[in-house]
Amino acid sequence: MRARPRHERLRGDGEENYFGMQSREERIARNDSTFREANEKIAKAASGYEWVEQVPFICECATESCTVIVNLSLAEYEEVRSIPTRFFVSPGHQASEGVVSLLEDRGSYFLLEKEGRAGEVATELDPRSDS
């Protein structure tokens, strides 16, 4: 077994990939998807407690260190999650997103949709997908 150079990593499917070959859009989509996974856990917990108020979710922007809270009702959250390429971000955070369409300014958050490779990655990493 050969030692893997530090600049390599393994993809989840076992295929080797080099960091340098991953596009900016892919990196952003992967980061956003990490926040989405955390928000799935928040939504599940809130549902279990039959929370009817605004639920504090984590902004799903591309900034890895973002800790901004975005309050959405569970119905709003489910609407966003119904399409795997859609994410919500705090006002002012949409500029860091790369290739996206701004779908709507909803006051306390912006609804965005990933396009191109970023949309493909977001769909692949959707925790609600059957794959």
Side-chain angles (χ1 to χ4, degrees):
M1 180 177 198
R2 74 176 177 89
R4 194 175 348 273
R6 295 178 74 170
H7 64 283
E8 284 186 343
R9 68 174 178 87
L10 287 178
R11 290 182 8 184
D13 60 7
E15 260 185 63
E16 289 187 29
N17 190 5
Y18 292 90
F19 282 120
M21 295 181 72
Q22 190 178 46
S23 72
R24 178 177 184 270
E25 288 77 24
E26 288 174 309
R27 285 190 306 275
I28 289 171
R30 287 182 189 285
N31 188 65
D32 292 352
S33 294
T34 299
F35 287 125
R36 176 173 60 191
E37 284 183 41
N39 283 334
E40 282 290 289
K41 292 174 185 172
I42 293 168
K44 185 176 181 179
S47 290
Y49 288 106
E50 299 177 11
W51 198 318
V52 294
E53 303 294 321
Q54 297 285 293
V55 177
F57 290 100
I58 302 165
C59 176
E60 297 177 336
C61 73
T63 305
E64 291 179 19
S65 61
C66 183
T67 58
V68 173
I69 298 300
V70 178
N71 293 307
L72 286 80
S73 69
L74 286 176
E76 288 174 305
Y77 180 77
E78 287 302 317
E79 178 195 355
V80 173
R81 285 288 84 86
S82 69
I83 300 174
T85 54
R86 291 193 178 172
F87 293 84
F88 58 88
V89 297
S90 177
H93 292 212
Q94 68 276 14
S96 67
E97 286 303 298
V99 182
V100 296
S101 288
L102 173 61
L103 297 178
E104 194 173 343
D105 175 349
R106 296 194 172 173
S108 63
Y109 66 94
F110 284 93
L111 179 61
L112 307 176
E113 185 155 19
K114 301 288 181 188
E115 298 175 340
R117 182 64 186 139
E120 292 169 8
V121 171
T123 300
E124 290 167 11
L125 297 176
D126 183 8
R128 295 185 178 192
S129 73
D130 294 331
S131 55

